[in-house]
Amino acid sequence: MQRAVSVVARLGFRLQAFPPALCRPLSCAQEVLRRTPLYDFHLAHGGKMVAFAGWSLPVQYRDSHTDSHLHTRQHCSLFDVSHMLQTKILGSDRVKLMESLVVGDIAELGPNQGTLSLFTNEAGGILDDLIVTNTSEGHLYVVSNAGCWEKDLALMQDNVRELQNQGRDVGLEVLDNALLALQGPTAAQVLQAGVADDLRKLPFMTSAVMEVFGVSGCRVTRCGYTGEDGVEISVPVAGAVHLATALLKNPEVKLAGLAARDSLRLEAGLCLYGNDIDEHTTPVEGSLSWTLGTVTSGCPSPSLKKNVAMGYVPCEYSRPGTMLLVEVRRKQQMAVVSKMPFVPTNYYTLK
């Protein structure tokens, strides 16, 4: 039996800052890349575009990766995550459909409450991680990963058709909205200036539809992928650039790209699908098929000024404080097992 662990390196070795299999310069890309509604906006603001999961996205802007990372921890940053798959599950049997696909208890979600869950295959392997929100508008709002777009959509569509053939009331709609993530300790303060709703009433993993800086029909969800307080805003395409521009007028806000997003989520102990979890990983740690000491994610932590990583080791080596040898570029380095998250999370909850 093996267990996922986090490690902090005690010596100054380097770890890959962003998964090379998922992200590469545009000059190396052979396929036609999709563009988000903010593509030209990124170029105008100095975004360095790379290929990621079939999309052209900014890996960073004029600021260094470390500066961008630390700005998010200390202030707030704006990320374009429009590459994520956004879907609506409709009909009176929408919960029945979703509970046939994920491990979460969707029926128990309150109005506008969301949960992180997992698509799994028949063997229990993780097909993708996703967020499901039970909206007060009578549908489920689902956000899943761009790298799993085709298989996630096919999975949902196949099961929708199956239930429809049984006479069930269920349907699926793909949203073409942009998706912006405003993340950091001052995110709510920045956003509050552009909304009439009281954001103090919107705790972690809840959402509401509201007008944001003059753009109507936005769904604001208090969540994110950095460990900080923040929101993800599903915004109609026509208003995406206007909203991003309005947010950037506040000096608290800077643009951030994929590199900072990856190091922030790793510090927060959040898994990246395809690196830390995949179809060979089950939600139950005892069924993992990883080999001894496998490091799934790693990078220098700008906040801790140390190298951090997530990986899998046998249970007898998983106790915090256990010393390990980690092989990096054919050299062995000392590391120590640590509790996750590496950097404490700062999600906003009602207390």
Side-chain angles (χ1 to χ4, degrees), residues 85-90 94-95 98 102 105-117 130-144 175 179 202-209 219-223 232 234:
L85 173 61
Q86 301 177 71
T87 53
K88 285 184 179 181
I89 307 298
L90 309 158
R94 59 190 181 276
V95 172
M98 191 53 57
V102 302
D105 191 354
I106 308 304
E108 293 301 313
L109 292 176
N112 293 319
Q113 181 182 4
T115 184
L116 176 68
S117 196
L130 64 153
I131 292 179
V132 183
T133 300
N134 178 30
T135 75
S136 59
E137 293 78 37
H139 65 269
L140 299 178
Y141 170 59
V142 181
V143 180
S144 54
L175 292 176
L179 190 62
L202 191 74
F204 184 59
M205 293 305 289
T206 62
S207 75
V209 176
R219 175 167 292 280
V220 177
T221 305
R222 201 139 194 180
C223 67
E232 291 185 354
S234 180

Side-chain angles (χ1 to χ4, degrees), residues 36-344:
T36 77
L38 293 170
Y39 177 81
D40 291 332
F41 177 86
H42 296 314
L43 294 180
H45 286 81
K48 178 183 177 183
M49 309 304 286
V50 297
F52 178 81
W55 292 77
S56 177
L57 293 170
V59 68
Q60 67 181 73
Y61 295 85
R62 296 185 180 98
D63 290 339
S64 71
H65 158 234
T66 298
D67 287 343
S68 184
H69 176 113
L70 294 176
H71 183 86
T72 310
R73 289 276 182 245
Q74 297 160 7
H75 303 278
C76 67
S77 295
L78 182 64
F79 300 81
D80 179 10
V81 291
S82 304
H83 58 299
M84 306 286 278
L85 173 61
Q86 301 177 71
T87 53
K88 285 184 179 181
I89 307 298
L90 309 158
S92 59
D93 290 310
R94 59 190 181 276
V95 172
K96 179 179 178 63
L97 169 78
M98 191 53 57
E99 289 200 334
S100 71
L101 300 175
V102 302
V103 297
D105 191 354
I106 308 304
E108 293 301 313
L109 292 176
N112 293 319
Q113 181 182 4
T115 184
L116 176 68
S117 196
L118 304 168
F119 285 135
T120 55
N121 58 26
E122 292 183 358
I126 300 172
L127 295 172
D128 197 10
D129 58 311
L130 64 153
I131 292 179
V132 183
T133 300
N134 178 30
T135 75
S136 59
E137 293 78 37
H139 65 269
L140 299 178
Y141 170 59
V142 181
V143 180
S144 54
N145 287 306
C148 302
W149 181 297
E150 287 80 10
K151 70 176 182 181
D152 286 355
L153 188 55
L155 176 69
M156 290 186 285
Q157 288 175 332
D158 288 347
N159 281 269
V160 164
R161 283 192 291 268
E162 184 177 334
L163 287 181
Q164 287 175 340
N165 290 337
Q166 297 172 12
R168 299 286 187 174
D169 177 26
V170 66
L172 181 148
E173 176 186 336
V174 177
L175 292 176
D176 64 355
N177 281 8
L179 190 62
L180 302 179
L182 186 67
Q183 297 285 297
T186 61
Q189 170 193 320
V190 169
L191 190 64
Q192 188 65 75
V195 300
D197 300 59
D198 185 355
L199 295 178
R200 291 175 298 180
K201 298 179 180 179
L202 191 74
F204 184 59
M205 293 305 289
T206 62
S207 75
V209 176
M210 61 185 77
E211 181 177 295
V212 184
F213 285 99
V215 181
S216 60
C218 295
R219 175 167 292 280
V220 177
T221 305
R222 201 139 194 180
C223 67
Y225 195 48
T226 63
E228 295 294 336
D229 186 22
V231 296
E232 291 185 354
I233 308 168
S234 180
V235 53
V237 167
V241 172
H242 170 83
L243 178 54
T245 302
L247 289 168
L248 277 182
K249 288 180 180 178
N250 192 313
E252 282 289 308
V253 184
K254 289 188 176 182
L255 290 168
L258 294 170
R261 183 170 164 84
D262 192 56
S263 57
L264 287 161
R265 68 90 190 168
L266 181 52
E267 284 189 347
L270 301 173
C271 290
L272 173 65
Y273 191 85
N275 264 47
D276 308 300
I277 52 175
D278 62 18
E279 293 184 30
H280 302 290
T281 310
T282 71
V284 181
E285 294 175 343
S287 300
L288 296 172
S289 60
W290 302 87
T291 58
L292 175 64
T294 297
V295 175
T296 56
S297 286
C299 74
S301 165
S303 299
L304 300 177
K305 296 181 172 58
K306 296 179 180 180
N307 296 300
V308 297
M310 288 194 289
Y312 293 92
V313 299
C315 282
E316 59 266 29
Y317 301 120
S318 64
R319 185 183 299 275
T322 302
M323 300 300 297
L324 300 174
L325 281 175
V326 180
E327 186 174 293
V328 182
R329 297 188 178 91
R330 300 183 181 179
K331 292 184 180 180
Q332 291 188 336
Q333 307 285 356
M334 291 298 298
V336 61
V337 176
S338 168
K339 290 183 178 180
M340 287 195 288
F342 299 106
V343 175

